[in-house]
Structures are given as C-alpha cells and as structure tokens.
C-alpha cells in the first residue's frame, strides 16, 4: 500500500478509495498537483474505514463500487456516523437506485467519471467548506448544550404557540418536573407565579426585565425566583418563540433578611448609645433637660418638610439628640448661673460645639453627626461660631439644627430669663431670615407652626 503523502496544515488531506488502480493513481497525481495531500489509496470499504480512523483525513473521495464486504455507500455511511468525515462519491454509475442509496449515506457531493480538474476542485472545495461550517455549528451546539446543562439557572424555551421545546436540568429541579413531562406542555400553565410582596411594581410588557416573583410548583410548594422572559427573533425580526430564564433566590433572601435584622440591631444599639449620651449631658443641667430631644424632633420635622430622604432625616434627628453633648465640659455653676454670663464664661460655653465635635469625630456614625454638632451655632452671614462659616460652607443639616435649636431655646425657660411665647420666638426667627438663618429652613419652620403640623 502506498505511503501517506507529506502534508502541511494548509493542504487538505484527501483519502482516495477507488477500485480501479489506474484511476486511483491518476486521482492521486491530479490532487497533488492541485495542492491536496493524498492519503491511501485503497480499493476496499473495510480498509477505507480503518484508514479514516487512523489517518483522520479532511475528506474522503469514495468510489461506490468497491471490493470486499463493504461497498462505497456502506463505507461512507460508517465513516459519516463514526468519524463525521465528509465523503464525496466518485462513480460512473448514475442509475436511480444507486443514487438513492448514495443519497441516504449523506454525501457532500458527487463526481461522475470522467471528470475535469475544475469539477474535482470545485466539488472538493464546496464539500470542505460545508464540512467546516457544519463542524463549527456542531461545536457551538455542543458548547451551548454543555453550558445550559451546567448552568445554575433554569432555562426554558417555547415555540410561538407557547409549547415547551427545551428545558435544562436546573429548570427541572426548580420546577420539580422531569424534562419528559415538560416538553410539549403549555408554558403559561406549567410556569405559574405570584407577585412577590417584597418586589416593587414592574411595568407590564417590559421585554427582558428582571423581576422577582413567587414560583408555584406542582407539589404545592412556593419558591422565590428572579426571572427574565425574552423573545427569540430571527435575523428578520420575526418571533421564533420565547426563552424564560429563572433562578432560585431563597438563599439570597435569607441573607438579605439576616442583614436587615443585623442592621436593625445595630441601629437600635446606635440609638440607645446616642440616647445615653443625651441623658449624660442633660443630667448636669436640669434647666435644659429635654432640650436636645425637642430640638431633635423639630429638626426631623423640618428635614421632612424640606424633602430630605429617610436616611438624611434620621441623621438630622440623631444630630439633634447630641448637639449639646459638648456641654459636659462646662462647669455646672456656669450652666445654672441665674444671671448674664461674663465674657470668659461665655467663651467656655461656646467651646461646647468644638468639644462635642471632638467627642464624636472618631465614632463611625453613618451620618456626619460630628460636623453638624460643630456647626449648629454658625450663622448664614458668618457671625456665628466657632469658625464663622457662611451659609454655603455649612452642612444642610447644620442649617436645620441652627433654626431648631434657637426656636426651642427661645420658647423654654432659662435660669437668667423666662420663656418667650411661640409667637414672639417665631417673629424673632423671621427677622433673621436669610441673614442669620437659612431662608428655606425658616419658611419651613414658620409653615409648620402656622399650620399646626408641629408642637413642642
């Protein structure tokens, strides 16, 4: 048997199976001249199958009439089924019965003897191109099939009538139904969900939108899932069906609930800590007991009226509860002195903003409490303390605290003066609008009291 011809990656390998020796030699010569690498030749179907296994040719040029137990049609069928190597029939027999049998073997072309080189190269090139495209398609299908098989999400496809055509193993697991029972069933009756109360509304008909729902399984159990339903379109935009992708999010839900519980616990601990600080600072001055709590309530109401978010309002409320924490450094005799303070004593009192900042600055609050405490005595025109900041340099929460603090202080008794009436205090506040106090905050405060939406 002739030795295998030398090959290169650029030269397609052709196995010649021909029962006429002269024709086989002529084919080998022509193919070599045309740039092909020749394998074989052989004149038996059994040898063709063995050589195809051993040499892995790119294509087989197969005569239909061969010696041995396997003729060309039978050998071609075995090579196609076992090795997926393309076969082109080479024959002088063109009777209907022969062509019928040959067609059943799935050939990639026919060359009828006698033939020209042009016919040979055209047929082989077309067959090789078709084989490469089919192999690429098979590889892609295999990649897709394996990906879908091991995908951690359920995937179901349905035809335009809504009947299930494919379901991967994860879809079987999540639905609790075997693939044999899924195929051919109506997707709408098979996959039933309820609206998840924890999920916000999703607009109807939102293509490809991810939403959370409660899957009602056939065994009566329910499972929280995240799902996406999308159309399958051809290259002309025509609908071929739909694909449903869904996954179990019960574990994620458990983690989210645990996280929410943890955050709630931390917030409670934080609130209790702030309350303890408030009580600690106010026990030294019975005349201002409750001042920080009342300032906190008014500040929160003002933040709500001004459109602050829930999280921002909570930060302002917390800052109000501890805005005078720095007064723990002020001697009690100064805090309870029933007459005007001296310049030195006033300086000590004014330091409470800075002391409060120093106490809170290293505490990892989720809000800038230390800054708001530091700035709550600043004024919009720069006449406040401790830094003489102007409005644009103050935190929005600080501007709210400044108004809430001064209104509460004017309407409460102090050792050195009686409480002002609410009307007098609001009139005084209005005088400082835009100069001492933020105009928007003042307007919100006046509106709250005038409408009766807030009371100390």
């Amino acid at each position: 048997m002739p030795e295998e011809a030398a090959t290169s990656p650029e030269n397609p390998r052709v196995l010649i199976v021909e029962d006429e020796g002269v024709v086989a030699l002529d084919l080998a010569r022509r193919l070599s001249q045309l740039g092909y690498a020749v394998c074989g030749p052989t004149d038996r179907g059994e040898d063709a199958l063995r050589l195809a296994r051993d040499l892995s040719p790119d294509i087989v040029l197969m005569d239909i009439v061969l010696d041995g137990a396997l003729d060309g049609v039978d050998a071609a069928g075995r090579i196609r089924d076992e090795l997926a190597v393309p076969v082109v029939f080479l024959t002088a027999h063109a009777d209907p019965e022969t062509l019928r049998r040959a067609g059943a073997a799935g050939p990639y072309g026919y060359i009828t003897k006698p033939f020209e080189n042009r016919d040979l190269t055209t047929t082989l090139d077309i067959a090789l191109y078709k084989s490469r495209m089919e192999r690429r398609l098979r590889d892609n299908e295999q990649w897709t099939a394996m990906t879908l098989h091991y995908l951690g999400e359920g995937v179901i496809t349905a035809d335009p009538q809504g009947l299930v055509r494919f379901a991967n193993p994860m879809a079987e697991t999540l639905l609790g139904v075997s693939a044999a029972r899924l195929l051919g069933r109506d997707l709408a009756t098979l996959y039933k969900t309820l609206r998840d109360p924890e999920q916000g509304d999703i607009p109807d008909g939102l293509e490809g939108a991810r939403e959370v729902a409660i899957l009602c399984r056939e065994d009566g159990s329910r499972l929280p899932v995240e799902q996406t339903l999308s159309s399958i379109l051809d290259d002309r935009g025509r609908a071929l069906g739909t694909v449903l992708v869904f996954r179990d999010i019960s574990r994620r839900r458990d983690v989210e609930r645990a996280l929410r519980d943890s955050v709630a616990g931390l917030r409670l601990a934080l609130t209790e800590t702030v309350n303890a600080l408030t009580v600690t600072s106010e026990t030294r001055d019975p005349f201002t007991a409750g001042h920080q709590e009342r300032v906190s309530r008014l500040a929160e109401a003002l933040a709500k009226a001004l459109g602050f978010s829930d999280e921002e309002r909570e930060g302002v409320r917390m800052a109000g509860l501890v805005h005078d924490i720095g007064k723990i450094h002020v001697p009690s005799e100064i805090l309870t002195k029933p007459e005007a303070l001296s310049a030195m004593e006033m300086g000590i009192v004014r330091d409470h903003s800075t002391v409060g900042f120093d106490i809170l600055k290293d505490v990892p609050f989720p809000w800038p409490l230390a800054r708001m405490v530091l700035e709550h005595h600043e004024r919009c025109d720069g006449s406040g303390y401790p830094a003489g900041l102007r409005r644009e340099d103050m935190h929005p929460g600080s501007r709210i605290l400044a108004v809430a603090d001064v209104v509460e202080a004017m309407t409460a008794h102090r050792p050195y003066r009686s409480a002002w009436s609410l009307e007098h205090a609001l009139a005084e506040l209005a005088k400082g609008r835009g100069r001492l106090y933020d105009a928007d905050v003042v307007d919100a405060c006046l509106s709250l009291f005038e409408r009766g939406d807030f009371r100390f």
Side-chain angles (χ1 to χ4, degrees), residues 155-158 187 228-232 241-245:
V155 180
I156 298 177
T157 58
L187 179 60
T228 303
L229 184 66
S230 303
S231 298
I232 304 173
T242 55
V243 56
L244 172 67
V245 181

Side-chain angles (χ1 to χ4, degrees), residues 350-371:
R350 285 190 169 191
D351 281 344
H352 80 278
S353 298
T354 303
V355 174
F357 173 79
D358 290 337
I359 292 172
L360 300 172
K361 65 181 181 181
D362 294 325
V363 181
F365 290 112
W367 318 279
L369 299 194
R371 179 180 174 184

Side-chain angles (χ1 to χ4, degrees), residues 398-451:
S398 305
R399 300 198 292 266
I400 290 176
L401 281 183
V403 170
D405 182 47
V406 74
V407 171
E408 200 287 330
M410 287 190 292
T411 58
H413 290 287
R414 291 293 182 267
Y416 50 87
R417 64 160 174 81
S418 298
W420 292 10
S421 68
L422 179 61
E423 292 75 15
H424 186 184
L426 294 179
E428 192 67 22
L429 178 68
K431 289 181 182 179
R433 180 186 182 277
R435 179 175 59 86
L436 300 177
Y437 315 112
D438 184 280
D440 293 335
V441 180
V442 170
D443 291 343
C445 186
L446 295 176
S447 177
L448 280 177
F449 283 103
E450 289 171 0
R451 296 198 311 266

Side-chain angles (χ1 to χ4, degrees), residues 165-181:
R165 289 290 175 257
F166 170 82
N168 72 341
M170 183 54 69
E172 299 178 52
T173 300
L174 295 180
L175 288 171
V177 181
S178 66
R181 292 181 56 211

Side-chain angles (χ1 to χ4, degrees), residues 14 18 23 27 30-31 34 36 59-64 87-94 99 107-125 127:
V14 182
E18 167 61 51
V23 175
L27 271 174
R30 292 198 200 190
L31 290 171
L34 294 171
Y36 294 93
I59 193 167
V60 177
L61 196 56
M62 177 85 71
D63 192 0
I64 291 179
V87 175
V88 171
F89 281 129
L90 178 67
T91 183
H93 301 275
L99 292 177
Y108 281 67
Y110 296 88
I111 298 177
T112 304
K113 303 174 186 177
F115 51 83
E116 301 291 336
N117 285 357
R118 180 179 66 253
D119 300 328
L120 184 63
T121 56
T122 299
T123 303
L124 291 179
D125 287 348

Side-chain angles (χ1 to χ4, degrees), residues 314-371:
E314 181 67 5
V316 171
R317 187 183 76 83
M318 288 289 189
L321 286 174
V322 294
H323 74 278
D324 278 345
I325 184 68
K327 285 186 177 179
I328 63 174
H329 95 296
V330 181
S332 297
E333 56 269 23
I334 295 178
L335 293 175
T336 58
K337 188 175 181 179
E339 56 192 41
L341 301 180
S342 67
M344 184 185 69
E345 292 169 332
M346 183 58 70
I348 294 174
V349 172
R350 285 190 169 191
D351 281 344
H352 80 278
S353 298
T354 303
V355 174
F357 173 79
D358 290 337
I359 292 172
L360 300 172
K361 65 181 181 181
D362 294 325
V363 181
F365 290 112
W367 318 279
L369 299 194
R371 179 180 174 184

Side-chain angles (χ1 to χ4, degrees), residues 17-21 42-49 62-75:
V17 185
E18 167 61 51
D19 69 333
E20 296 183 35
T42 181
D43 59 357
R44 296 173 59 85
E46 296 86 346
D47 291 338
L49 185 59
M62 177 85 71
D63 192 0
I64 291 179
V65 178
L66 297 174
D67 294 332
L70 290 178
D71 67 1
V73 174
D74 294 332

